[in-house]
Amino acid sequence: MGVNVPLTFPPCTACAKSSCPMPAHCGVPGVRWMRDSSRRFLRHLSKKHAKAKEFTPYTQRPVELFIKHNLLPDLHEAFWFEVDEALGGTKAPLTARMGFLKRHLPGMKLLEVWPKLSAALLALEAGIPRRTIEAHRDIELGARAREEIIGSLGAHFGVFIYDRDKTKLARSLTSFDAFICAYTAMLSDTGRCLRAPSGFPEESGWIEIPHIGEE
């Protein structure tokens, strides 16, 4: 089942060390990967961005930095979005709740999905106009844009959806996100999502990312 909520916590929250060497010197795999990734990213920034935010392994996870540093920069600006941190202001309560719920869902396979990212990548594959993606979360224009996206995804990927269901999914952003989560989970089950790159600390959490251009 695809869920739009973090399934893991930032590396510092699970640390059991009696003393903290601080992120700059920490040897925990997740923190070490974040440190190296941030250094590589900062080296490629222009001088005007030299004071970019440092990584915070007590609110962020490696996967959030991977998306921010390695994936979003390769997309057109129209597809960019703010990456929510697992224990940031808007996600923290949801992350904590999922941590509780996981203990009561034994045997259920849960897959973390980011609907904003999946929708953008699937739209690229289906040739959906950028203006439609830009508008799909807009309060006034969103419903029409979401209906266009759902129709295009159905036509391009062969997903059958009743017309009345298309309308229902388009009217509600929450329902639309749930549809994108479910479809991305199906892509994952059929091997059509990206694998974590070599050296990535997968135990820290990974998300399902549609592998566009692949059948």
Side-chain angles (χ1 to χ4, degrees):
M1 181 171 69
V3 295
N4 178 22
V5 63
L7 293 173
T8 55
F9 290 95
C12 284
T13 62
C15 183
K17 292 185 176 181
S18 58
S19 62
C20 176
M22 300 302 288
H25 305 287
C26 183
V28 172
V31 178
R32 186 170 62 243
W33 188 94
M34 295 174 78
R35 181 172 63 243
D36 294 342
S37 176
S38 294
R39 287 174 177 172
R40 288 192 300 269
F41 182 67
L42 288 172
R43 282 198 296 267
H44 288 83
L45 289 179
S46 61
K47 290 184 178 180
K48 67 178 181 179
H49 293 120
K51 293 185 179 180
K53 180 182 176 182
E54 291 287 341
F55 76 100
T56 54
Y58 45 87
T59 64
Q60 297 172 314
R61 299 173 299 164
V63 68
E64 286 140 17
L65 288 192
F66 174 81
I67 300 301
K68 183 182 293 186
H69 294 170
N70 301 90
L71 203 154
L72 288 183
D74 291 336
L75 300 178
H76 188 278
E77 290 185 16
F79 300 103
W80 291 1
F81 57 87
E82 188 68 26
V83 174
D84 294 325
E85 300 174 358
L87 288 183
T90 58
K91 281 288 186 182
L94 298 176
T95 303
R97 181 185 298 171
M98 178 52 75
F100 168 79
L101 290 176
K102 283 173 61 179
R103 300 176 62 185
H104 299 275
L105 298 171
M108 180 173 289
K109 182 181 179 182
L110 299 175
L111 301 172
E112 185 175 343
V113 179
W114 291 7
K116 292 179 184 178
L117 180 60
S118 286
L121 294 175
L122 292 171
L124 281 173
E125 176 72 4
I128 297 172
R130 288 199 300 264
R131 58 174 174 75
T132 302
I133 291 298
E134 289 181 290
H136 88 280
R137 305 187 85 82
D138 185 85
I139 294 177
E140 296 181 357
L141 305 175
R144 177 172 293 183
R146 290 191 292 271
E147 188 163 10
E148 182 179 340
I149 292 171
I150 293 169
S152 297
L153 293 181
H156 185 84
F157 296 106
V159 180
F160 176 78
I161 307 173
Y162 286 108
D163 288 339
R164 64 176 181 274
D165 292 331
K166 290 180 184 178
T167 302
K168 291 178 180 178
L169 291 173
R171 285 177 179 171
S172 167
L173 179 57
T174 302
S175 297
F176 175 82
D177 283 349
F179 166 74
I180 294 295
C181 283
Y183 186 70
T184 303
M186 186 275 291
L187 292 177
S188 176
D189 284 344
T190 54
R192 288 182 284 173
C193 282
L194 293 176
R195 294 182 178 180
S198 176
F200 185 87
E202 291 189 62
E203 70 280 357
S204 67
W206 183 247
I207 68 170
E208 303 307 316
I209 305 171
H211 195 172
I212 61 174
E214 293 287 331
E215 294 295 333

